[in-house]
Amino acid sequence: MAAGFKTVEPLEYYRRFLKENCRPDGRELGEFRTTTVNIGSITTADGSALVKLGNTTVICGIKAEFAEPPAQSTNKGYIVPNVDLPPLCSSRFRPGPPGEEAQAASQFIADVIENSEIIMKEDLCIANGKLSWVLYCDFICLDYDGNILDACTFALLAALKNVQLPTVTINEETGLAEVDLKQTNPLNIRKHPVATSFAVFDDTILIVDPTAEEEDLATGTVTIVMDEEGRLCSVHKPGGSGLTAAKLQDCITRAVTRHKEVKKLINKVIKSIKPK
């Protein structure tokens, strides 16, 4: 009977749960799904991480290559994110060029990198005006069940912390780059941005970490990105119902708590994989 009611009136079905301050999957309104992270899972990449947020699964691989610095900023490198949502992860996506949601997610990650200053692009410069690193950050969603932005931001942070770049020097005589693969250095991660997404129901009720079904039924979504200093790095609000100042403050408060949870998890995993 319940399954039939959910099929015919999915929104009313959800509202009955929301009235009791819970959700059909048993979570409270402010509760995240079980989150796991695996760092260094792709051996052919310079850095990688696999993040699971409930059923939502995203893998991030980072490849570092040489490039000429931009003409207007000769002392900077590049960070190029790309999010791929293939048909493999959900029947809602089709083969072909990136869809609107994948493009929006790629732009969101690019904005987070820029606004949070997770890495200063100056740190990627090898020789001023001659050579710099370009980091290609490729995200592939393996299983889509909502809240792709939180999973991608988490995967980016974990993968960047896993990157080891070889030492590079410019030979004065030949002007060519000489790479020492035996001596590697980690990236200088200056900030640790963490995203927290919310779905808005009936313009008033906020639920954290929405599933794909909840996103479809919601009247709006909002994503808050915070760093470890409690600094607001980004607010992503793609239309939908508006938020009052009080509701937005509630979101920011929950995002600060979430940051501590994610930082603790990431540090625990990194500690476990470091050689004794």
Side-chain angles (χ1 to χ4, degrees):
M1 181 66 189
F5 179 50
K6 183 182 177 183
T7 306
V8 178
E9 290 285 351
L11 189 54
E12 192 54 43
Y13 177 80
Y14 257 88
R15 280 181 182 139
R16 293 194 179 183
F17 281 92
L18 296 176
K19 280 177 187 172
E20 303 300 323
N21 287 327
C22 69
R23 290 142 87 170
D25 59 8
R27 287 187 290 157
E28 293 179 2
L29 304 190
E31 188 180 343
F32 266 82
R33 290 171 286 180
T34 303
T35 308
T36 57
V37 58
N38 186 316
I39 295 176
S41 35
I42 307 176
T43 53
T44 52
D46 295 305
S48 64
L50 177 112
V51 169
K52 277 183 73 89
L53 202 55
N55 289 330
T56 296
T57 309
V58 171
I59 193 158
C60 174
I62 298 177
K63 286 295 282 183
E65 295 182 5
F66 291 144
E68 196 174 308
Q72 65 276 20
S73 307
T74 56
N75 64 334
K76 292 183 179 180
Y78 308 82
I79 308 175
V80 185
N82 181 61
V83 178
D84 186 18
L85 300 175
L88 160 84
C89 71
S90 171
S91 57
R92 69 171 65 200
F93 304 116
R94 295 281 173 263
E100 190 178 329
E101 194 167 345
Q103 290 181 49
S106 297
Q107 186 57 52
F108 170 80
I109 295 297
D111 291 343
V112 168
I113 292 168
E114 192 70 36
N115 296 336
S116 69
E117 297 178 342
I118 182 170
I119 290 177
M120 298 299 284
K121 289 179 181 174
E122 287 83 354
D123 292 342
L124 298 176
C125 181
I126 298 167
N128 196 332
K130 294 180 181 177
L131 199 64
S132 63
W133 288 109
V134 51
L135 300 180
Y136 292 102
C137 309
D138 291 309
F139 302 81
I140 298 177
C141 181
L142 305 178
D143 193 350
Y144 182 92
D145 188 23
N147 203 3
I148 192 74
L149 300 182
D150 285 20
C152 285
T153 308
F154 191 176
L156 171 73
L157 178 58
L160 285 172
K161 288 179 84 72
N162 179 235
V163 171
Q164 292 282 337
L165 295 179
T167 303
V168 181
T169 51
I170 302 290
N171 189 306
E172 294 292 334
E173 293 177 6
T174 63
L176 298 175
E178 294 179 352
V179 182
D180 184 359
L181 294 172
K182 291 179 181 176
Q183 191 175 351
T184 59
N185 301 298
L187 288 172
N188 183 10
I189 309 295
R190 294 175 181 262
K191 299 290 179 189
H192 296 75
V194 172
T196 308
S197 292
F198 303 82
V200 188
F201 270 85
D202 296 331
D203 299 335
T204 53
I205 302 170
L206 283 170
I207 62 169
V208 76
D209 184 22
T211 62
E213 192 174 19
E214 287 168 343
E215 285 179 349
D216 291 340
L217 294 171
T219 52
T221 58
V222 61
T223 302
I224 309 286
V225 183
M226 307 289 289
D227 67 13
E228 64 271 35
E229 295 171 3
R231 189 172 66 103
L232 188 62
C233 302
S234 175
V235 176
H236 180 66
K237 181 80 177 68
S241 52
L243 283 178
T244 63
K247 290 286 183 190
L248 189 58
Q249 188 57 54
D250 289 346
C251 292
I252 291 171
T253 304
R254 179 65 184 95
V256 170
T257 312
R258 175 62 177 171
H259 189 288
K260 291 172 184 170
E261 295 166 7
V262 168
K263 189 87 187 295
K264 189 176 177 182
L265 176 60
I266 230 171
N267 288 341
K268 183 181 173 185
V269 172
I270 288 172
K271 196 175 179 183
S272 71
I273 61 172
K274 278 189 176 174
K276 299 287 185 283

